[in-house]
C-alpha cells in the first residue's frame, strides 16, 4: 500500500453572537442569546476528503438574581455546536460535535473591586473526536466546581484586572477609551 501524504486543511469558521438582557424586576434579570456558526472546510486527511459545509446555532439562557447588596446568584444553559473535520475509523467525516453546558454559582463583590465567585459546571458532548483511537466519538461528560478571585484596579491610562482560579490565572490591561 502506498503511503498517504500529509493532510491539508483550508477552513473558514465565522461565528455571530447576539444577546438580550431583560430586567424582570430590580433584582432579577433574564439573559437570552444565540450563537450562529457558518463553517466551510476543504481538506484531505489520510488520503480522504474532509470537505464539508455546515451552518448551525447554539441558544443560551441565563439569569442573575441579586440576593443581597453586591451578591448575585446565577445559572445558565447553552447548547454546544462545534464543527469538526476529523474522520472516524472508516475514514468518514464525523460531522459536528454537539452538546449542552450548565453552570450555576454565586458572586460576591467588595468595595475594593475584588470579586469572589463559587460555581459548579457540567458539560455533555456527543460526537466529539477522541485522539485515543479511531472511534465513533461516543461522547464526553464532565463536571467541575470552581472558585475564582478577580480584582480590577483603575490606573492612569486604563484598568488592570487579574483572575486567579485553580485551573488558570490571567492578568489583563484595558486601555481607557476616553484618551
Amino acid at each position: 500500500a502506498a503511503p498517504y501524504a500529509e493532510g491539508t486543511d483550508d477552513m473558514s469558521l465565522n461565528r455571530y453572537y447576539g444577546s438580550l438582557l431583560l430586567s424582570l424586576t430590580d433584582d432579577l434579570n433574564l439573559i437570552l442569546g444565540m450563537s450562529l456558526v457558518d463553517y466551510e472546510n476543504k481538506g484531505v486527511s489520510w488520503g480522504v476528503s474532509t470537505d464539508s459545509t455546515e451552518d448551525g446555532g447554539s441558544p443560551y439562557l441565563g439569569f442573575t438574581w441579586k440576593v443581597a447588596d453586591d451578591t448575585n446568584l446565577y445559572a445558565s444553559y447553552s447548547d454546544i455546536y462545534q464543527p469538526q473535520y476529523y474522520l472516524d475509523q472508516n475514514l468518514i467525516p464525523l460531522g459536528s460535535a454537539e452538546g449542552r453546558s450548565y453552570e450555576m454559582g454565586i458572586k460576591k463583590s467588595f468595595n475594593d473591586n475584588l470579586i469572589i465567585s463559587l460555581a459548579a459546571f457540567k458539560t455533555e458532548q456527543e460526537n466529539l473526536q477522541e485522539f485515543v483511537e479511531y472511534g465513533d466519538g461516543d461522547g464526553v461528560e464532565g463536571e467541575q466546581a470552581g472558585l475564582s478571585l478577580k480584582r480590577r484596579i483603575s490606573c492612569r491610562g486604563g484598568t488592570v484586572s487579574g483572575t486567579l482560579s485553580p485551573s488558570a490565572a490571567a492578568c489583563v490591561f484595558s486601555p481607557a477609551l476616553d484618551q
Side-chain angles (χ1 to χ4, degrees):
Y4 291 107
E6 69 180 64
T8 60
D9 184 44
D10 182 13
M11 180 177 54
S12 169
L13 175 63
N14 295 300
R15 290 190 183 267
Y16 307 96
Y17 300 93
S19 64
L20 177 64
L21 173 64
L22 301 171
S23 295
L24 303 177
T25 69
D26 287 343
D27 297 331
L28 183 63
N29 294 316
L30 179 66
I31 303 118
L32 304 172
M34 178 62 96
S35 168
L36 299 174
V37 174
D38 177 29
Y39 172 79
E40 183 177 354
N41 178 63
K42 295 198 180 299
V44 175
S45 180
W46 297 97
V48 176
S49 171
T50 60
D51 292 0
S52 61
T53 300
E54 295 184 46
D55 297 311
S58 300
Y60 173 87
L61 173 66
F63 80 87
T64 62
W65 178 32
K66 181 180 175 183
V67 293
D69 283 346
D70 301 321
T71 303
N72 287 346
L73 292 177
Y74 67 92
S76 67
Y77 165 84
S78 66
D79 277 0
I80 299 169
Y81 178 81
Q82 179 62 44
Q84 55 187 0
Y85 58 88
Y86 300 109
L87 304 173
D88 69 8
Q89 64 193 11
N90 298 314
L91 301 179
I92 297 172
L94 280 177
S96 295
E98 298 184 25
R100 289 148 303 285
S101 179
Y102 311 89
E103 179 178 355
M104 59 187 280
I106 185 169
K107 285 188 179 187
K108 168 74 174 150
S109 61
F110 298 90
N111 291 337
D112 61 354
N113 291 323
L114 175 67
I115 298 172
I116 297 176
S117 64
L118 179 64
F121 313 86
K122 181 175 182 178
T123 301
E124 304 164 340
Q125 292 189 62
E126 294 88 30
N127 204 39
L128 184 64
Q129 193 271 347
E130 301 172 37
F131 287 99
V132 176
E133 64 182 359
Y134 288 106
D136 62 1
D138 288 335
V140 173
E141 184 172 315
E143 296 178 13
Q144 181 178 359
L147 173 67
S148 69
L149 301 173
K150 183 174 182 177
R151 177 85 190 261
R152 186 177 61 230
I153 302 169
S154 296
C155 62
R156 183 178 175 160
T159 60
V160 176
S161 64
T163 302
L164 178 64
S165 69
S167 60
C171 186
V172 176
F173 173 75
S174 300
L177 298 176
D178 59 351
Q179 294 185 355

